[in-house]
Amino acid sequence: VMAQTAGRQAPPAVSGLKAEVGRTRVHLAWEPVSAAVAGYFIERRGEGEDQWLRLNGLVRPEPFYDDYYGPGRSGEFRYRIVAVGYDNQESRPGRDVSATLPDTVPPAAPHITSIDGSNGKVTLGFAPAGREEDTEQFLVLRALAPREPALVLGDPLPRKARSFEDTLVEAGKVYWYQLVALDKSGNRSDLGSAVAVRVGNQEIPAARKPEVQRLSEPFPHALIRFSA
């Protein structure tokens, strides 16, 4: 016959829980309880969730834990710790703490909707992809060949911008343009699809009507005046 001795009461609740947030993990540490315990269970609840998720199947003897949440996650996590005695009695959950994950999700790549190279300049029309509120700024990049690294032109464009004009071009040349979106956290989207355009000659304005004056000295002739 075998029997397991049960304690008179459950272990005390865990206190002193702290959460340190990194880019790919949350490091948890807490004060060890005064009673002898087999270990601890770590529980987590995500933003908008009602149930607590137990992260470790076996009790953890050390008073710390690393929760690797991986890339692409954002929002807030809440954590709490439960102490477990050698008789399997569990303590009341300790006071939970929150951990706000850094925003590492890049916005969707914007796309060029129109391009015009007439009149000695390039005019781009573009639009964001996905949700507009995910984009805070745009970067315009230009290259002289499809496989050449593109360079950023000027300062970032505001989130409401939908067009860009490039006047630092030469007539007859072909230029390749791409767009990149930035969010409020500085995350960059992938490069948008490259679009090429050949720059046309600048329009030559019509000359103004000249003024003609007939002169007789020192010989008969006509003096013509006109604006440049």
Side-chain angles (χ1 to χ4, degrees):
V1 177
M2 183 179 67
Q4 183 180 23
T5 305
R8 295 181 178 178
Q9 60 184 8
V14 175
S15 62
L17 176 60
K18 296 181 180 179
E20 180 183 347
V21 182
R23 292 188 64 84
T24 58
R25 67 167 184 165
V26 177
H27 177 71
L28 303 171
W30 57 91
E31 297 292 335
V33 296
S34 57
V37 293
Y40 305 90
F41 282 128
I42 297 91
E43 296 181 340
R44 184 185 73 191
R45 187 174 67 185
E47 195 170 1
E49 297 176 355
D50 297 327
Q51 301 295 324
W52 288 90
L53 173 67
R54 187 158 285 182
L55 299 180
N56 53 326
L58 300 176
V59 292
R60 181 177 181 83
E62 299 87 5
F64 59 86
Y65 184 81
D66 288 328
D67 179 23
Y68 290 89
Y69 56 84
R73 295 294 298 267
S74 60
E76 182 187 52
F77 283 154
R78 302 199 70 86
Y79 295 91
R80 68 182 188 183
I81 310 299
V82 175
V84 182
Y86 287 103
D87 56 357
N88 292 327
Q89 291 193 75
E90 296 184 5
S91 71
R92 293 182 294 103
R95 180 176 297 179
D96 59 282
V97 298
S98 65
T100 302
L101 307 184
D103 182 10
T104 59
V105 181
H111 52 273
I112 297 174
T113 57
S114 63
I115 188 166
D116 181 17
S118 62
N119 199 20
K121 62 182 179 181
V122 175
T123 303
L124 299 176
F126 57 89
R131 301 189 308 169
E132 293 188 8
E133 57 269 22
D134 291 340
T135 299
E136 185 67 18
Q137 293 177 318
F138 297 96
L139 297 178
V140 180
L141 293 85
R142 186 185 73 185
L144 297 177
R147 298 184 182 276
E148 181 179 296
L151 301 178
V152 177
L153 296 178
D155 297 327
L157 303 178
R159 61 183 303 179
K160 295 296 185 181
R162 294 295 181 267
S163 63
F164 175 78
E165 189 175 274
D166 185 12
T167 58
L168 301 178
V169 293
E170 296 182 26
K173 283 191 174 182
V174 176
Y175 296 89
W176 294 78
Y177 291 88
Q178 291 173 284
L179 290 176
V180 169
L182 303 175
D183 64 11
K184 293 181 180 180
S185 300
N187 297 310
R188 290 193 175 197
S189 71
D190 294 332
L191 283 170
S193 300
V195 179
V197 63
R198 183 182 297 276
V199 181
N201 290 316
Q202 188 174 4
E203 289 185 9
I204 301 176
R208 296 182 180 180
K209 183 179 179 179
E211 296 179 358
V212 181
Q213 183 181 4
R214 183 174 182 274
L215 301 175
S216 59
E217 297 294 338
F219 54 84
H221 65 283
L223 178 60
I224 304 173
R225 295 186 177 93
F226 55 90
S227 301

